[in-house]
Amino acid sequence: MDLKQVAKDTTKVLSSYLTYQAVKVVISQLSETNPPLAIWLSNFSSTAKIQDGEAYIQELMGVEQPLAFRIMTVREHLAQEVTEFLPEMTIAAIAQANMKHRCQYLEKVTQFNLSTESSDPDAI
Amino acid sequence: MDLKQVAKDTTKVLSSYLTYQAVKVVISQLSETNPPLAIWLSNFSSTAKIQDGEAYIQELMGVEQPLAFRIMTVREHLAQEVTEFLPEMTIAAIAQANMKHRCQYLEKVTQFNLSTESSDPDAI
């Protein structure tokens, strides 16, 4: 298990996801101040490769540089404000989800055994 | 900018991504101990909705419960080992990528100005 590689890959995914969130923020701001530009950015983002944050920024830089700079500033802000809570939140979310899956499994198994027992009175 | 919502959504994405990484770890382990099962899990994961970690675990639980439990254990371990480094790594990665984009833009603009000046001697 190469934990360093996992951390690096996860950082890349996180960085791309925060770029996507920054795009959403900027579209929402523009829809109030400059609706036509909001529509333009929304259309651009649905066709451009937003899965890869860096490729997206690079592409946007070529056609609408001020917007690219604005999204870069917002994603930097989001990273500073949001990431510090992520370790605790993610560990808790996974622990909680795992417990839920285990409980559901136990419930299923228990009900299965109960219904088997009740349908077979000789087993008692 | 709803930072709480961004943090929640990011946690969900992170949790799903760590599930995907846990699946990769388990496939890699199985390929040494039980190759047929490794191939089975690999095929299952390519058709199942691995984008949503919880739906994936739920689906796997219905057909191969011990594997689902194993993946759940691995993703919990990954979350504990990896997430603590993510805030620092992500903030650094985004700051670095932003600087790179800004430098590339400055280079482009400077070269453009230089070539414009050199092609127009009267401008000097």
Side-chain angles (χ1 to χ4, degrees):
Chain A
M1 206 183 298
D2 186 352
L3 290 174
K4 267 193 185 172
Q5 194 55 47
V6 173
K8 274 187 189 173
D9 293 346
T10 311
T11 300
K12 208 177 162 194
V13 167
L14 206 49
S15 167
S16 280
Y17 185 71
L18 290 177
T19 307
Y20 160 74
Q21 284 286 352
V23 171
K24 272 178 67 180
V25 167
V26 171
I27 289 176
S28 155
Q29 290 168 341
L30 286 174
S31 65
E32 290 183 14
T33 57
N34 189 344
L37 195 57
I39 293 169
W40 181 87
L41 182 58
S42 181
N43 287 337
F44 175 85
S45 308
S46 64
T47 53
K49 292 171 188 168
I50 203 159
Q51 289 278 338
D52 179 346
E54 301 322 314
Y56 172 87
I57 295 278
Q58 190 86 44
E59 209 176 326
L60 185 59
M61 195 79 96
V63 282
E64 195 70 55
Q65 171 267 322
L67 272 187
F69 273 33
R70 184 161 165 181
I71 290 166
M72 279 155 59
T73 305
V74 173
R75 72 173 181 171
E76 201 158 351
H77 174 73
L78 284 181
Q80 277 157 358
E81 294 296 319
V82 166
T83 54
E84 65 173 305
F85 304 107
L86 292 181
E88 204 180 326
M89 283 174 79
T90 307
I91 290 170
I94 285 183
Q96 205 177 340
N98 280 0
M99 206 194 316
K100 201 177 144 196
H101 288 302
R102 287 192 184 107
C103 283
Q104 280 176 346
Y105 174 73
L106 279 178
E107 270 178 24
K108 206 176 118 192
V109 172
T110 320
Q111 281 174 359
F112 178 73
N113 286 347
L114 282 175
S115 66
T116 316
E117 282 175 16
S118 61
S119 66
D120 181 8
D122 293 337
I124 301 169
Chain B
M1 205 183 298
D2 185 351
L3 290 175
K4 267 192 184 173
Q5 193 57 46
V6 173
K8 274 186 190 175
D9 293 347
T10 311
T11 300
K12 208 178 162 190
V13 167
L14 206 49
S15 167
S16 279
Y17 186 71
L18 290 176
T19 306
Y20 161 74
Q21 285 285 353
V23 171
K24 272 177 64 180
V25 167
V26 171
I27 288 175
S28 155
Q29 292 168 340
L30 285 174
S31 66
E32 290 184 14
T33 57
N34 189 344
L37 195 56
I39 293 169
W40 182 87
L41 183 58
S42 181
N43 287 338
F44 176 85
S45 309
S46 65
T47 53
K49 292 169 188 168
I50 205 159
Q51 289 280 337
D52 179 345
E54 301 321 314
Y56 172 86
I57 295 279
Q58 189 86 45
E59 209 175 326
L60 185 58
M61 194 78 95
V63 282
E64 196 68 56
Q65 171 266 323
L67 273 187
F69 272 32
R70 184 160 167 183
I71 290 166
M72 279 155 58
T73 305
V74 173
R75 72 173 181 171
E76 201 159 351
H77 174 72
L78 285 181
Q80 277 157 358
E81 294 297 318
V82 166
T83 53
E84 67 173 303
F85 305 107
L86 293 180
E88 206 180 324
M89 284 174 78
T90 307
I91 290 171
I94 285 183
Q96 204 177 341
N98 280 0
M99 206 193 318
K100 199 177 146 197
H101 288 300
R102 287 190 184 108
C103 283
Q104 280 176 345
Y105 175 73
L106 280 176
E107 270 178 24
K108 206 177 121 191
V109 170
T110 321
Q111 281 174 359
F112 178 74
N113 284 346
L114 283 175
S115 65
T116 315
E117 282 175 17
S118 60
S119 66
D120 180 9
D122 295 337
I124 302 169

